[in-house]
Amino acid sequence: MKSIAFLSHKGGIGKTCLSLNTAVYLALQGKNVCLVDHDFFGPSLSTFVKPNVDWINEYIMGDKKPEDVLQDQSDAWNLPGKLILGFANPMAEAVQHIIRIDQKTSMRMLQNMLKLKKVLEADPYNIDYFILDSSPGTGFTTVNAMLISTVNIFCVKVGNADINGTSEMIAGLTRHLENKVLVLANQVPASSLDTDEKQRKLGELIIKKFKEKIPNETTYIGAIPTDIDMQLVEFETAYETLQGFPPKRIVHILEKPEHIFSKALIKYLPKILEEIG
Ligand SMILES: Nc1ncnc2c1ncn2[C@@H]1O[C@H](COP(=O)(O)OP(=O)(O)OP(=O)(O)O)[C@@H](O)[C@H]1O
Ligand SMILES: [Mg+2]
């Protein structure tokens, strides 16, 4: 089983969309995938899928069994492979609880996630890819996600709010791990990517910056443009919610495969999988 964490220095870069769409892509290819919302500070997987299982918080605190917190989404989305989801609790009290936990409890959370990995690898789950959607920044949920995974996908928006911070984050957190580092730029202006030369130059500059301080194997994957249609879909579905309709979010690879975000991700996923090995 391969284990992958999506990470970023700043929030809103696209970790949740990227990790969920990657998980769905793999399940569409017939792979067995488990995606866990490991962003206990700002959970959001449950904004895409309504959970009908207990929160993963209850498993990591030792109160529930794995089968109580894992939701099989494969039939609902008609996926040839398994897609198992684990949801972090977005209620304010649950987030406050996580913020206040001590180091001993965070170690217990880590141990329980490592146990979950073992469970997922075996029957009846037989998971091929275990994916963690982490919190932004360098808090303990991020550190734990990195300790649980072997491949770290750092998502970066090419802006001065996160270029230096991402570089520091990669240097500070990966230096002592043997994790493979992949860098995926997201929400880059399309006009900055409209020629192969611009794409190549951007990749060269990013990788030079991020490799400065670390010995880890670091690979630049590519840049996903800002998808105006995706922003429009988010706005329209939120507008419906404001009008009183049930909230819904779109999984682009499943429902909007022709959109720029889906096409770009589909272009880069084979390279990501090749790097994961
Ligand atoms: N390439 C893109 N083009 C346009 N919009 C995008 C793109 N990628 C992500 N978004 C939008 O950006 C917003 C943030 O995405 P997402 O929630 O996946 O980020 P995140 O890194 O998980 O954020 P957080 O750190 O808050 O959990 C969403 O509204 C999403 O639709
Ligand atoms: Mg997120």
Side-chain angles (χ1 to χ4, degrees):
M1 186 175 77
K2 311 288 180 188
S3 46
I4 308 145
F6 282 80
L7 311 158
S8 70
H9 167 63
K10 298 292 282 180
I13 306 296
K15 295 176 297 301
T16 303
C17 292
L18 290 165
S19 55
L20 176 57
N21 280 279
T22 299
V24 171
Y25 171 91
L26 288 165
L28 281 168
Q29 312 266 310
K31 302 290 183 200
N32 295 336
V33 189
C34 176
L35 169 66
V36 166
D37 188 352
H38 203 266
D39 185 358
F40 294 102
F41 297 139
S44 63
L45 188 56
S46 58
T47 61
F48 283 97
V49 184
K50 196 167 180 290
N52 55 33
V53 290
D54 293 316
W55 302 112
I56 196 107
N57 305 51
E58 297 172 50
Y59 165 77
I60 52 169
M61 294 301 173
D63 301 330
K64 297 276 175 179
K65 298 198 203 80
E67 59 268 31
D68 300 328
V69 299
L70 296 173
Q71 179 160 321
D72 191 336
Q73 195 63 23
S74 333
D75 289 345
W77 285 350
N78 204 13
L79 300 167
K82 267 185 216 153
L83 178 63
I84 308 287
L85 302 175
F87 302 92
N89 187 345
M91 304 296 281
E93 312 86 76
V95 175
Q96 283 289 313
H97 178 241
I98 296 281
I99 288 170
R100 292 201 196 98
I101 66 166
D102 55 22
Q103 207 170 357
K104 206 169 134 206
T105 313
S106 85
M107 284 305 292
R108 204 172 74 223
M109 286 171 71
L110 173 62
Q111 278 162 3
N112 284 336
M113 284 301 290
L114 291 169
K115 273 190 206 154
L116 184 66
K117 248 178 101 169
K118 289 220 154 35
V119 169
L120 290 166
E121 207 162 15
D123 269 345
Y125 296 105
N126 301 306
I127 294 296
D128 302 305
Y129 292 92
F130 181 42
I131 304 180
L132 298 166
D133 173 21
S134 184
S135 314
T138 52
F140 82 87
T141 54
T142 300
V143 175
N144 281 7
M146 291 177 74
L147 291 168
I148 296 159
S149 58
T150 53
V151 178
N152 297 150
I153 304 186
F154 282 86
C155 307
V156 63
K157 212 170 176 174
V158 188
N160 277 330
D162 77 339
I163 281 288
N164 282 317
T166 307
S167 166
E168 288 303 326
M169 181 183 179
I170 295 178
L173 297 185
T174 59
R175 180 183 298 152
H176 306 293
L177 302 175
E178 282 177 9
N179 294 14
K180 188 170 215 176
V181 174
L182 305 183
V183 177
L184 180 60
N186 188 30
Q187 300 188 52
V188 175
S191 59
S192 312
L193 300 170
D194 58 7
T195 66
D196 288 348
E197 177 55 16
K198 284 185 193 173
Q199 293 187 27
R200 191 190 55 75
K201 185 82 199 289
L202 177 65
E204 267 176 28
L205 291 170
I206 289 179
I207 207 70
K208 185 164 167 272
K209 173 81 183 156
F210 291 174
K211 277 183 90 131
E212 259 168 17
K213 298 180 186 169
I214 56 161
N216 301 54
E217 197 182 330
T218 306
T219 308
Y220 175 74
I221 298 296
I224 298 177
T226 300
D227 182 349
I228 306 292
D229 287 337
M230 189 173 186
Q231 292 179 335
L232 192 63
V233 168
E234 285 275 12
F235 175 80
E236 284 172 350
T237 49
Y239 201 85
E240 285 171 14
T241 307
L242 290 171
Q243 289 174 311
F245 294 99
K248 85 166 181 246
R249 287 186 80 185
I250 303 288
V251 182
H252 274 69
I253 283 214
L254 210 53
E255 296 166 73
K256 307 266 178 197
E258 77 290 356
H259 275 204
I260 287 171
F261 176 83
S262 312
K263 280 189 179 163
L265 191 57
I266 290 166
K267 175 176 150 197
Y268 294 129
L269 279 168
K271 188 170 173 188
I272 293 176
L273 297 181
E274 196 182 307
E275 290 296 330
I276 290 169

